[in-house]
Amino acid sequence: MAVDFTATDPGAWRRWIRSCVAVGVLFLIGAVLVVSGEHAWVLPVMAGAASAACVWRSLGFTGRARWAWALLAAGLFTWGLGQYAWLAHQEAPDSAGHSGLGDIGLIGLGLLVPAALLTMPSAAQPLVNRIRSVLDGLLIASSLVLVAWVFVMNDPIQAGTHGVRFYLTLFFPLADVVIATMVGYMLPSQRDRYGCGTDLAFVGAGMVAFAVADTGHVYLHLVGDHHAGPTVHLGWMAGYALITMGALRPRVATDAPLELSPRVWDTAVLLPYIAVLAALGASVMFHLQTGHSHPFVAFTRSFLILLIVGRQLLTLLENRALTRGLETRVTERTAELYAREQHFHALIRHSSDVVTVIDSTGVIRYQSDSMQRVFGYPAAVFLGRPYTELVDAEVTIRLAQAMRQVAARPFADVTLEVVHTHQDGRRLPSEVIITNLVEDPHVAGFVLNTRDISERMELQEQLVHEAYHDSLTQLANRALFRERTAVMLESGATATVLHLDLDGFKRVNDSLGHLAGDQLLVQVSDRLRACVREEDLVARFGADEFGVLLTGDDGAEEVARRILDDLDAPIVLGERQIHVRASIGLADTALLEESADTHGDRAEQLMRNADLAMHHAKAIGGSGFASYHPRMRDGLVERLELESDLRAALENGDLRLHYQPTVDLETSRVIGFEALVRWPHPTRGMINPLDFIPIAEATGLIVPLGHWVLHEACRQAVEWTAAAGGRPLKMSVNVSVRQFDRADLAETVAAVLAETGMPAGRLCLEMTESVLMTDTEANLEQLVRLKALGLTLAIDDFGTGYSSLAYLRRFPVDTLKIDRSFVERLGVIADDTALTDTIVRLGHSLGMSTVAEGIEEFGQLAALREMGCGFAQGYYFSRPVPAADAGRLFLEGAQTPA
């Protein structure tokens, strides 16, 4: 296979134009020399340039193309060498006779150049076509020679001048015509297949120039006129110049194929025959004019007959090859069509679709075998019968309407869903695609593609069920609950929504695991269903929240009591009995606002009202129910406004820290402070921490708030310590459960200590007992990491939670802070001192220090000193004060009242 490496860059065209200009200049110089008589060496130079250009062109190819251009270069070179030898012999003083070296041009022009053209790669032109082009060239050339001999050369030629040398002289123009004809036949196929051919066009034009020059040269030689010889040499020079420019021309892969009309091809095919007819006519005229025949005429006619016979043999061979090829293609095509037909039948037979063809009269003309596999009926039962007799009346009506819909539009289609009856009586949902192919002569009817969509419908129903139901309890979910509520409101019916939340469900999950929690939810859902009517809707909103939609305007509170009473009975989980309670909020349509735009919005509002009522029931102690009142919404709005203001206060730095001193009961000196956050609201005044700390906990704002408190408290402690000359100060900071949920708590504390320069041993982090009870292993790991920093840990409000002695021994806690509820009764009721004394003794036994909170009277202080409590806080010593006052309290080193 030939590969073209010729450069196609834009600069190649500029170089080619410069080369063409150089070749033109060389041609003009040679023309001047030829006219002046100095022409012996001009033709070899032009032939050498053409040969060199062909060699350069061959280097841009591989394979047959390279060999073809190399053979063309060799042919042109030998032809130029022969011309030079012949001209040199003619100009020599002793030029009598003939130079044998000049006949070397016969090899170049008659052998190498045709061989080069036959070697050119052309898959679109077989070798037999190339040989036929050679014969066509010989036919045309011989006919032209005969015509020229009769009308031009017969009179000047003297008797005895048509010997062997005469025929050798005629060989050159004959070879030129043959080569030009070969190029003419090759040029369209080369351009169509390879996007090229302009280079061959230049070669063909050069061969035409050679033919003109050789013909003129032969004529002048025969008539003995040697004065006009140099002028004829200009044709040879022009031929070499054209071939040189064609070989140097850049390859263009985007040349448009030649679009030749059929007339051109017909003329090209008939051209050899036209030339032969012209030659035969000329020979007849010659015979009529002279009354005798001439050996040259007879020889040429015989040669033409041989060429025609050879051409016909080639045509016969080609026709046989074409016939065999056509037979093979017909056989292969027939086998392919048969295979496709069998493939089509197999696809239809095993398809999941049932294909039916109904003609314009409603009679079934074709029924696929898949009918029996899908619907249980043999296909033969349907053939030739009207479809109206074979399907249900409802299906008949719908099919007729669909076919009328597409009847007016050829090749239109429509899709519909119907229910077909299986042979065993099952009702199968089906999808039918009806296509109007009445005008298609191969079909001539309506094509029905029917498929069973039972599984798809079941899957669709399953997906819809999953989208509107809880996967664990199989109750309705929030989306379905909202839709059903909206539908009920749209109908104008009275409805009541119950929002239920289990009390203490998280403890079940934390202590017994999520599997036990799921089992508990399933049993709770069963009890809820049993407490309501069949037309009421029970839903699970998520986690441990449930909803009940009741129809009617009375009985909602009775249902709520019934649910609470039913939940009083213990739920058995394995070997355990779990007692679960619930908080229920009730909301009915009577208190809905008129501002809601749609029934969906009103349904959402009704559900939100029930949710507010549920939170109110939980806030007043749980295990009960509460009905919605508009003031609950006002409280929610106030809570949202407070949350927004808290965010702004945190971002703007409006929060403040107050510090409550911690007193050493043995020395009565201030040894540290507890940092307490305060919020001076610009319009509401000082906000109670009990109002905004729960909001911060619920919204997650407690995390950035806690970080700010920790950083500010440590910074202030370092500042006071430096001002007191290095006097140590213990700073206590509260840490919430939400902060413990973050895995980077220890890293955050370490970063604050590093930024502020606070010694870790002077920082105490206080936490509630809930930290010890929730997510025990994770929190234990957090405490260990915090303890590794060197700080101390304290349990705040000790005695109000559920911590056990086992937890106290396991967790690395340093301090127990006794809740104020134990301290406030000291000195009032003697029996109440026992529990406080036990906590102090427990701390001593575990190696922990104890801090009493909420001391307001001297009697409480004296009792704690007698018990051996180490430290205390309370209004008796000082209320939480701003940083300036707390700093003076510490810097002055004042002792507290004894």
Side-chain angles (χ1 to χ4, degrees):
M1 178 179 180
V3 179
D4 185 6
F5 295 113
T6 307
T8 57
D9 59 289
W13 284 103
R14 292 192 293 270
R15 291 194 295 271
W16 181 66
I17 293 174
R18 290 195 294 267
S19 300
C20 291
V21 172
V23 172
V25 171
L26 180 62
F27 174 81
L28 292 177
I29 294 173
V32 172
L33 293 175
V34 166
V35 173
S36 63
E38 299 293 335
H39 58 274
W41 58 273
V42 175
L43 287 177
V45 171
M46 296 294 292
S51 300
C54 291
V55 170
W56 176 85
R57 185 56 177 259
S58 70
L59 297 178
F61 295 93
T62 61
R64 291 175 56 186
R66 171 174 287 187
W67 282 104
W69 283 99
L71 288 173
L72 182 60
L76 294 175
F77 181 76
T78 54
W79 174 225
L81 186 62
Q83 288 176 322
Y84 174 75
W86 185 84
L87 291 175
H89 176 73
Q90 291 294 326
E91 294 178 359
D94 53 348
S95 58
H98 178 73
S99 173
L101 186 60
D103 294 335
I104 194 174
L106 294 172
I107 299 175
L109 199 61
L111 181 61
L112 296 180
V113 174
L117 296 178
L118 293 175
T119 308
M120 285 284 182
S122 178
Q125 191 179 34
L127 181 61
V128 65
N129 285 357
R130 300 194 185 194
I131 297 176
R132 187 170 58 192
S133 67
V134 175
L135 295 180
D136 289 344
L138 289 174
L139 283 171
I140 295 171
S142 301
S143 300
L144 293 177
V145 169
L146 182 56
V147 172
W149 191 90
V150 171
F151 293 101
V152 179
M153 294 184 294
N154 183 38
D155 293 335
I157 296 176
Q158 303 298 324
T161 60
H162 50 274
V164 175
R165 178 53 53 189
F166 169 71
Y167 293 109
L168 289 176
T169 304
L170 292 178
F171 173 81
F172 295 105
L174 288 174
D176 294 334
V177 173
V178 171
I179 294 172
T181 304
M182 294 176 65
V183 172
Y185 279 112
M186 290 178 61
L187 182 59
S189 63
Q190 283 283 327
R191 191 177 182 94
D192 289 344
R193 185 169 183 83
Y194 297 103
C196 63
T198 307
D199 45 6
L200 282 181
F202 276 95
V203 173
M207 299 312 300
V208 171
F210 283 167
V212 173
D214 285 335
T215 302
H217 179 76
V218 169
Y219 178 77
L220 294 177
H221 177 69
L222 292 177
V223 299
D225 185 1
H226 299 288
H227 297 286
T231 304
V232 176
H233 298 167
L234 294 178
W236 288 332
M237 294 171 56
Y240 287 127
L242 289 171
I243 294 174
T244 302
M245 289 188 290
L248 294 177
R249 184 179 183 274
R251 174 76 179 274
V252 181
T254 57
D255 281 351
L258 292 177
E259 298 292 340
L260 300 177
S261 64
R263 292 184 179 181
V264 175
W265 282 111
D266 295 341
T267 303
V269 172
L270 294 177
L271 185 61
Y273 296 101
I274 295 173
V276 170
L277 290 176
L280 292 178
S283 66
V284 171
M285 290 184 62
F286 175 78
H287 182 72
L288 292 176
Q289 290 176 357
T290 61
H292 62 84
S293 181
H294 192 278
F296 179 78
V297 176
F299 173 78
T300 306
R301 280 202 307 264
S302 301
F303 185 64
L304 288 175
I305 293 172
L306 290 175
L307 292 176
I308 292 173
V309 171
R311 193 180 190 284
Q312 289 302 114
L313 289 175
L314 289 176
T315 303
L316 179 62
L317 293 175
E318 185 180 17
N319 288 339
R320 286 186 177 181
L322 288 175
T323 302
R324 287 194 296 268
L326 288 175
E327 290 176 351
T328 303
R329 291 181 62 187
V330 169
T331 303
E332 292 176 351
R333 184 61 175 168
T334 303
E336 181 182 355
L337 291 176
Y338 179 77
R340 287 186 179 181
E341 182 179 359
Q342 295 302 312
H343 179 67
F344 172 77
H345 284 301
L347 290 178
I348 294 297
R349 186 166 54 252
H350 298 94
S351 173
S352 59
D353 288 4
V354 178
V355 181
T356 308
V357 178
I358 302 176
D359 63 15
S360 57
T361 64
V363 177
I364 297 177
R365 298 302 179 188
Y366 174 80
Q367 183 62 68
S368 64
D369 296 336
S370 53
M371 170 62 76
Q372 185 164 10
R373 185 177 63 259
V374 178
F375 295 107
Y377 295 97
V381 174
F382 292 83
L383 291 177
R385 298 177 61 183
Y387 75 95
T388 55
E389 300 177 358
L390 303 169
V391 294
D392 297 338
E394 181 183 355
V395 178
T396 299
I397 295 173
R398 298 195 60 193
L399 291 179
Q401 291 174 347
M403 283 190 282
R404 283 195 298 270
Q405 181 180 345
V406 299
R409 294 176 294 124
F411 305 103
D413 61 79
V414 64
T415 303
L416 67 155
E417 293 184 1
V418 297
V419 178
H420 284 300
T421 304
H422 194 275
Q423 189 180 30
D424 59 11
R426 287 180 294 144
R427 306 280 288 174
L428 300 180
S430 305
E431 181 185 74
V432 182
I433 302 175
I434 302 177
T435 307
N436 179 9
L437 297 181
V438 175
E439 296 188 2
D440 189 333
H442 301 289
V443 181
F446 296 93
V447 178
L448 279 65
N449 288 79
T450 307
R451 65 185 60 176
D452 178 15
I453 58 172
S454 301
E455 293 183 358
R456 190 179 78 185
M457 297 297 291
E458 291 175 1
L459 177 60
Q460 182 175 340
E461 293 175 359
Q462 179 183 350
L463 292 176
V464 171
H465 182 273
E466 291 177 356
Y468 285 100
H469 289 80
D470 175 55
S471 59
L472 176 63
T473 63
Q474 297 305 309
L475 296 176
N477 61 10
R478 181 182 290 273
L480 180 58
F481 191 90
R482 181 180 181 275
E483 287 189 11
R484 289 280 295 274
T485 305
V487 170
M488 188 171 296
L489 294 175
E490 186 177 1
S491 66
T494 303
T496 303
V497 171
L498 278 65
H499 193 121
L500 180 147
D501 183 85
L502 300 182
D503 297 332
F505 175 75
K506 190 175 187 303
R507 290 199 301 271
V508 177
N509 265 347
D510 293 339
S511 58
L512 302 181
H514 290 282
L515 178 59
D518 291 344
Q519 294 173 353
L520 174 63
L521 293 174
V522 171
Q523 295 197 38
V524 169
S525 65
D526 293 338
R527 294 191 180 188
L528 291 177
R529 272 192 290 249
C531 291
V532 299
R533 297 168 297 181
E534 194 171 319
E535 59 268 25
D536 298 329
L537 179 65
V538 180
R540 181 190 177 204
F541 292 160
D544 59 338
E545 295 186 35
F546 295 86
V548 180
L549 177 62
L550 302 176
T551 58
D553 55 357
D554 56 0
E557 293 187 357
E558 287 76 3
V559 173
R561 290 191 184 94
R562 188 161 57 245
I563 291 174
L564 293 175
D565 293 341
D566 199 58
L567 291 178
D568 273 340
I571 295 177
V572 179
L573 297 179
E575 298 179 354
R576 292 185 176 89
Q577 289 187 347
I578 306 298
H579 292 270
V580 62
R581 300 291 293 168
S583 299
I584 304 177
L586 287 73
D588 56 31
T589 54
L591 296 177
L592 282 177
E593 298 179 2
E594 298 297 332
S595 59
D597 296 331
T598 64
H599 295 293
D601 294 337
R602 297 182 68 217
E604 193 69 40
Q605 184 187 126
L606 185 61
M607 295 168 61
R608 183 171 61 249
N609 292 346
D611 181 53
L612 288 174
M614 181 273 294
H615 281 92
H616 181 74
K618 191 176 286 289
I620 61 178
S623 301
F625 65 88
S627 297
Y628 170 77
H629 192 275
R631 64 173 175 269
M632 296 180 182
R633 185 176 180 275
D634 296 338
L636 175 62
V637 172
E638 183 180 359
R639 178 185 173 90
L640 292 176
E641 292 177 352
L642 200 62
E643 176 188 340
S644 178
D645 292 345
L646 179 60
R647 290 181 184 274
L650 186 59
E651 293 175 0
N652 300 330
D654 295 337
L655 299 176
R656 297 291 180 266
L657 283 186
H658 284 194
Y659 299 90
Q660 187 170 28
T662 301
V663 177
D664 187 341
L665 294 183
E666 183 177 350
T667 63
S668 299
R669 294 179 65 86
V670 176
I671 53 92
F673 293 91
E674 179 182 0
L676 300 171
V677 65
R678 293 294 183 263
W679 181 13
H681 195 279
T683 59
R684 301 186 185 188
M686 190 67 71
I687 305 295
N688 193 324
L690 295 178
D691 292 334
F692 70 85
I693 292 298
I695 295 178
E697 289 275 2
T699 60
L701 290 174
I702 195 67
V703 175
L705 176 60
H707 184 272
W708 176 80
V709 170
L710 178 64
H711 190 279
E712 179 64 18
C714 290
R715 183 197 64 78
Q716 189 67 73
V718 171
E719 179 180 325
W720 286 337
T721 300
R727 178 182 161 195
L729 179 147
K730 195 78 168 183
M731 182 62 72
S732 297
V733 178
N734 291 284
V735 182
S736 73
V737 177
R738 294 291 292 271
Q739 289 176 278
F740 267 91
D741 291 339
R742 299 180 61 88
D744 61 345
L745 176 60
E747 288 77 6
T748 301
V749 174
V752 170
L753 293 175
E755 291 172 7
T756 60
M758 177 75 168
R762 298 179 186 177
L763 175 64
C764 177
L765 296 182
E766 299 183 6
M767 70 210 77
T768 60
E769 291 177 276
S770 59
V771 172
L772 307 183
M773 297 299 297
T774 59
D775 205 1
T776 307
E777 296 300 327
N779 287 343
L780 174 60
E781 182 181 352
Q782 286 272 39
L783 293 173
V784 171
R785 294 170 64 190
L786 289 170
K787 190 64 180 174
L789 297 177
L791 48 80
T792 58
L793 301 174
I795 297 179
D796 197 11
D797 300 332
F798 183 77
T800 60
Y802 303 94
S803 59
S804 65
L805 183 61
Y807 280 135
L808 291 178
R809 290 185 178 276
R810 187 179 179 192
F811 284 83
V813 179
D814 303 288
T815 303
L816 297 180
K817 297 192 71 173
I818 304 171
D819 187 69
R820 67 178 62 247
S821 62
F822 300 104
V823 175
E824 65 184 4
R825 298 181 183 181
L826 294 177
V828 179
I829 303 176
D831 293 341
D832 286 347
T833 63
L835 184 55
T836 306
D837 183 59
T838 301
I839 295 175
V840 174
R841 292 178 182 275
L842 176 63
H844 290 166
S845 66
L846 294 176
M848 302 178 185
S849 60
T850 53
V851 179
E853 298 180 296
I855 299 177
E856 297 182 1
E857 298 176 356
F858 178 76
Q860 297 169 347
L861 175 62
L864 289 169
R865 279 177 172 170
E866 185 178 349
M867 294 177 188
C869 182
F871 307 94
Q873 290 178 323
Y875 289 176
Y876 179 77
F877 306 109
S878 173
R879 290 176 176 272
V881 294
D885 296 337
R888 284 195 300 271
L889 197 65
F890 178 71
L891 295 176
E892 292 172 0
Q895 292 185 343
T896 60

